[in-house]
Amino acid sequence: MHTLISVAGDDPGDGVRAGLQADAEMARGLGVHFLGVVAVDTEQDEHGLRAVRARAAEEVEESLQRALVESVFQGEVSVKTGALGNAAIVATVARVMREWPEVSLIVDPVHQASRKHAEAPALLDAEGWQVMCTELFPLAYLVTPNAEEYGDGLAYQSARAVLVTGGDQGQGKEVVDTLYEDGEQREFIATRLPGGEALHGTGCRLSTAIACSLPERVGLVPAIERGRAALRAWMQSKLA
């Protein structure tokens, strides 16, 4: 049995959701057992994120360890992270994952909600971002920032592999995702789906879909290709 454990934010909103709810929908749709660990609770409405409350790091650690123990002896397992809130939670996740080096980790470095009220706080604070760069990125099999999160790329130098997703770049007829691995660059290109930019949580779903392929040991590039195909199929179903 394949299991995906997601450590991310709870999205209680209506309609198409992001965070743990998006991860669960994608994983289960791909036939993968899903376990969720809430790192942050959010308040959202039709206009987007209103408030964020981080869970206690000790609570996150206990839940993640329990999920790993429950799943790792039943088959293949991978872990992905989304919104982690603060430095204490990021450091905790890194410490736990160092104890489980056989488990593949994908990090979606979520900073801000794609839709939010002006007063809404970040989904990861500045100190948490620094700890993510120094402690979590080096443990990751893959890090999946969007173009804005990637910036000049300097913060990602400790990562083994980085997939910069281009779906948030709303211009042009094509979506280009770029993989940086071992000093090499590879592009994955697809025709942009009209209306796709309005869908919520596509980044969550892509990293989840890739993570769901990793236990099959297909390799990183095939896992990315499978993940992109799964995301596209989901988007087409929502836009139909």
Side-chain angles (χ1 to χ4, degrees):
M1 178 175 68
H2 294 178
T3 298
L4 173 70
I5 301 170
S6 176
V7 188
D10 177 61
D11 181 353
D14 296 326
V16 177
R17 294 185 286 178
L20 285 170
Q21 286 73 15
D23 296 342
E25 180 185 15
M26 179 60 75
R28 290 166 181 159
L30 294 172
V32 174
H33 181 58
F34 178 82
L35 293 174
V37 175
V38 179
V40 298
D41 294 290
T42 69
E43 294 180 19
Q44 305 194 40
D45 59 23
E46 66 274 15
H47 301 295
L49 181 70
R50 294 188 63 87
V52 176
R53 181 181 66 82
R55 294 282 180 99
E58 296 79 8
E59 180 183 349
V60 175
E61 179 174 11
E62 180 181 354
S63 297
L64 178 55
Q65 288 281 21
R66 185 169 57 248
L68 283 161
V69 170
E70 175 183 332
S71 58
V72 78
F73 298 112
Q74 297 180 8
E76 297 286 354
V77 58
S78 54
V79 172
K80 70 146 287 190
T81 64
L84 296 180
N86 59 40
I89 293 175
V90 176
T92 293
V93 172
R95 183 173 64 253
V96 171
M97 294 310 301
R98 280 192 288 269
E99 298 173 7
W100 297 85
E102 72 276 21
V103 175
S104 298
L105 171 67
I106 284 189
V107 175
D108 186 8
V110 179
H111 293 180
Q112 304 281 349
S114 58
R115 301 181 303 178
K116 65 173 185 173
H117 289 258
E119 71 276 10
L123 290 166
L124 178 66
D125 63 22
E127 185 180 359
W129 167 242
Q130 294 302 317
V131 177
M132 180 172 283
C133 293
T134 58
E135 296 192 28
L136 203 56
F137 286 174
L139 302 175
Y141 189 72
L142 178 68
V143 184
T144 61
N146 61 33
E148 181 179 355
E149 292 163 342
Y150 186 68
D152 60 11
L154 293 177
Y156 293 84
Q157 292 182 342
S158 64
R160 171 191 177 278
V162 181
L163 180 69
V164 183
T165 60
D168 60 319
Q169 304 300 297
Q171 303 299 317
K173 296 181 179 181
E174 296 179 332
V175 174
V176 180
D177 298 337
T178 306
L179 174 65
Y180 298 95
E181 182 184 23
D182 296 330
E184 298 184 358
Q185 177 178 331
R186 178 177 182 141
E187 291 185 343
F188 302 83
I189 303 173
T191 303
R192 187 177 297 276
L193 293 173
E197 66 280 357
L199 292 175
H200 188 40
T202 54
C204 302
R205 288 176 169 83
L206 177 59
S207 56
T208 293
I210 296 170
C212 286
S213 292
L214 294 181
E216 299 181 23
R217 305 291 186 237
V218 297
L220 182 55
V221 169
I224 290 171
E225 291 172 336
R226 288 187 183 188
R228 294 177 81 249
L231 175 63
R232 189 173 184 85
W234 175 84
M235 292 176 68
Q236 289 172 326
S237 72
K238 296 299 180 183
L239 295 170

